[in-house]
Amino acid sequence: MTESAISCLVEKLAMFVEQEVNLLKGVRGEIELIRDEFERMKAFLEHTESSKDDDPELKLWVKQVRDVAYDVEDILDEYTLNLARDHGDGVMRYLHKIKLSINNLKERRHLSSKITDIRTKVLSISEGHRRYHFKSYCTEQSASASTGGTSWHNLREDTFPVEEGELVGIDQPREELIKWLVDGEPELEVVSILGMGGSGKTTLAERVYDNHQVKAYFQSHAWISVSQSYKIQDILRDMIGQFHGEIEQRAPQGIESANSVRLKQILKDFLHQKRYVIVLDDVWNLEALEGLKSAMPNGSCSSRIIITTRIANIATSSSNQSKVYTRKPLSPEESWSLFCKKAFRGKLCPPHLKNLSGQILKKCEGLPLAIVAIGGLLFAKDVKEWEMISHSLAVELESNDRMQIFRKILSLSYIDLHYKLKSCFLYLGLFPEDRVIERMTLIRLWIAEGFIEERERMTQEEVAQRYLNELINRNLVQIAEIDVEGRLKTCRVHDLMRESILSKLKDENFVSFLSEQSKELHERVRRLSVQYNCNNALNQLNLPSLRSLLIFQLRTSSSTDEQFFPTSSKLLRVLDLGGSCLHKFPQQILVFVHLKYLSLRRSNVRVIPRSIVKLQNLETLDLKHTFVSEMPVEITKLKKLQHLLVYSDAEITTSVPFGFRKGFLAPKGIGALTSLQNLCCVKAGGDRSKNTIQELGELSRLRRLGVRDLKKDDAKELCHSLEKMTNLQSLNVNAKSEFDIIDLDFLSSAPPFLRGLHIEGCLKKLPHWLPLLISLTKLRLAWTKLKSSPLIALQNLPNLVELYLSNAFDGKTLVFGDKGFPKLKKLFFANLDNLRFALMNGTDRQSLLVVIHGLANLKHLQFYEMPEEFALVFYPYSRNRMRKGILQEYYEEVMERNPEVYFFWWKEDHRERHDLSLDSYNVIKGRVISRIEVIPIVS
């Protein structure tokens, strides 16, 4: 993590020297010297990252480097802060200018003095680096000459032995893997076992490798531990030795001095026309795997390679997709069984320890290595020790010898990360335990923190998404929820992985936590996570170096909204007060001139002051679900603003209300915010409606746009503006009222990368360009009241996965095209009041079942406020006369796909949901009968 802090500092120093042209003589050179020294330190740190945990001297040196890097950053930020003053207007501006010239000279002298002091400190630390570098070089030379010693990089998941009788959840996967090995194709195949650290990959591979059927089927066998620190020649020698050893032959002479080309040839000669199985345990990169595969003969003897890995793309790229076995967490029953075997040596859990056992197992989340390690730790301990361990697992991970091995196994994945990813990963520790984290919130926070590099032809959001994907790929972050496209919506961290993060956060001074148990903080704290109702505690803290403040629990009804800010924290970059009961925009925020990210989401704030113009570095302003309905004109001077999120949802009192999302009135000059990528949601209504819509055309970088209260006369102007937004990916257009017609045909061609489109308002016809959107994945048509069925025109959209029709069609018969919607997974019908029939084009069968049968990829089907008769056709309990002959066959085929089918009706003050259960069927059937209606043959 220290490498990341230094990397950010080096960039900041370079930018500072470039932009600050009035530095006093000599200061520029000293800053450049400091920058060069930090670059050398960074290179050394990247080389020694894996060693510092086991080397107290190196750990101390790294701390000194980190502290002085933070000192330099503080000096630069304080200097910038002191130069950033309000100049006033007119005569006052002139007087301020004279005064500021004097003050700025003082600041430059002050900076010069501080830089001179810090240069001395940096050079002293650099000298320590040179001494240590020589010492570590000698140590490495000595170690390389010795055959003794074991690096903890080579720790395996079987470090904690488990007896055969203690194993749980292993039989079914073992049999499946054995079948893959002995029943496959004659060509060489790779079978992958994938899972996070501690999930039991190695244990499973051992049980497969040692199985008598596998031993008998293959003629030659070798088990190789690859690890992060592999050397290809050593692995090849080990393999040759194992193959010769099992037939009691001596390995060929000269292999100790042979190069990799010679070693590979020896292996190929030995394995020629033999059926062999090789386990490559703990593979960390494709280069290692491909290098070893190239040494294996690819004959027709049904040979196999088994790999275990934590990294998904290694598993999937090396194996046929069907030959990747992903280790799942143990079930609650399996977890309990394994825990009792280790903690109580197979005896029953004493009643007084059941609750504590449950709490501890919850943290383990089915991770076998964690259960074995913690169960063994708790064996024969008394209740007080159980309680202490339950409440302080992070401490145990750090201090207990047994648990340190487990922590190091988890840490291997962290150490293998590029330094840019390490900060992103550690940042997840800021969030409360079991917190589900929204993807875009996390990405914007990473960017504001300075973790995300800029790359040519990519936005920072795209780079951050790649970082997040890589953390998921490495099984360090878990997917909590995905959308129908398979894109991540929310994520989380395994509880014990989070405990491992917390132990690192403490070492790195990366994040501190304010809690009821810990209210005293060191003044050098740089990030603060508040996870309890602190109210008055914050303003009593002295935290001059604080850069980020995230408050996850802040409930106050006080009228003095200033009380929860540390008074001295003027260097803040990130401030998240989401969910607080703030009623006014806190004026103290305006002193945070370095602020990049500000969230007041779900607060009670109503007015944004004109003085927000002071926040010239602001990039994200999140006012979602507040009472803000208008922005001051001064917002247009925030040239760095990229995300302006201002909208709220009205209280839903009917099933599918019109225009329930409210936007904000944009000020004159909104087009000046040319850095904007995300603008949601701006009102088109008001006196200057046309001007607002025209100005939107200046925002050519927009990727997401929401426009509310659009009137008929505004549509043409909106289309002209949209034609300039070539980067737009999501568009949400909402009419002023359900009777206002939106004519979007003025748009000659839609933005080429549009993925999401929401139109709410009356349409005379579908826009001519809509069926041409080849990138479109989500389409929502609401209150469009089309007279003819829109589905024939839409059926050839190649990537559409979600279609929502609400008050979208006024006709009686909805016509679908045969073999249309090739990727559709989600289909919603809502308030289609006149609909009586659904028809597949080219057939005379008026049945929704025929239509659904034709949508081969459909996984989710939902109905809102639709006639009950449409629902009854989906129940197996319905009368046979509803589904005769071919319709019954279609029904059975549709149900074999196991789609999620739900029906919703608004009842008084809530929405009632029904599934395909017998109870739901009886309720719906009862309503139909109560109306004394005959159930129709078609639906």
Side-chain angles (χ1 to χ4, degrees), residues 10 22 34 92 193 217 290 332 345 348 368 417 446-447 582-583 624 663 672 718 797:
V10 167
N22 294 318
I34 290 170
M92 290 302 296
I193 304 175
Y217 184 75
E290 294 304 321
R345 296 300 186 260
L348 293 176
L417 291 174
W446 280 351
I447 292 170
L582 284 168
H583 289 84
K624 288 183 183 180
L718 176 63
L797 288 169

Side-chain angles (χ1 to χ4, degrees), residues 226-292:
V226 181
S227 82
Q228 292 167 316
S229 54
Y230 76 94
K231 290 183 180 177
I232 193 78
Q233 290 96 331
D234 290 345
I235 289 177
L236 294 173
R237 290 187 191 102
D238 188 4
M239 213 178 284
I240 292 168
Q242 289 188 46
F243 284 139
H244 283 80
E246 73 174 341
I247 58 172
E248 299 182 357
Q249 282 186 4
R250 294 183 64 178
Q253 287 186 346
I255 65 169
E256 292 303 321
S257 58
N259 61 23
S260 59
V261 176
R262 174 64 182 143
L263 292 170
K264 287 179 181 180
Q265 190 58 52
I266 292 171
L267 265 178
K268 284 185 177 180
D269 292 344
F270 181 86
L271 295 173
H272 182 63
Q273 295 300 313
K274 286 189 177 73
R275 181 184 296 150
Y276 59 86
V277 60
I278 300 169
V279 176
L280 301 178
D281 186 31
D282 205 18
V283 178
W284 287 88
N285 61 64
L286 279 171
E287 183 184 1
L289 180 60
E290 294 304 321
L292 293 171

Side-chain angles (χ1 to χ4, degrees), residues 121-140:
K121 190 183 293 187
V122 169
L123 290 176
S124 173
I125 293 172
S126 291
E127 181 57 33
H129 150 249
R130 280 183 274 275
R131 287 195 305 270
Y132 182 85
H133 190 266
F134 176 76
K135 173 190 164 187
S136 64
Y137 172 78
C138 296
T139 304
E140 284 175 12

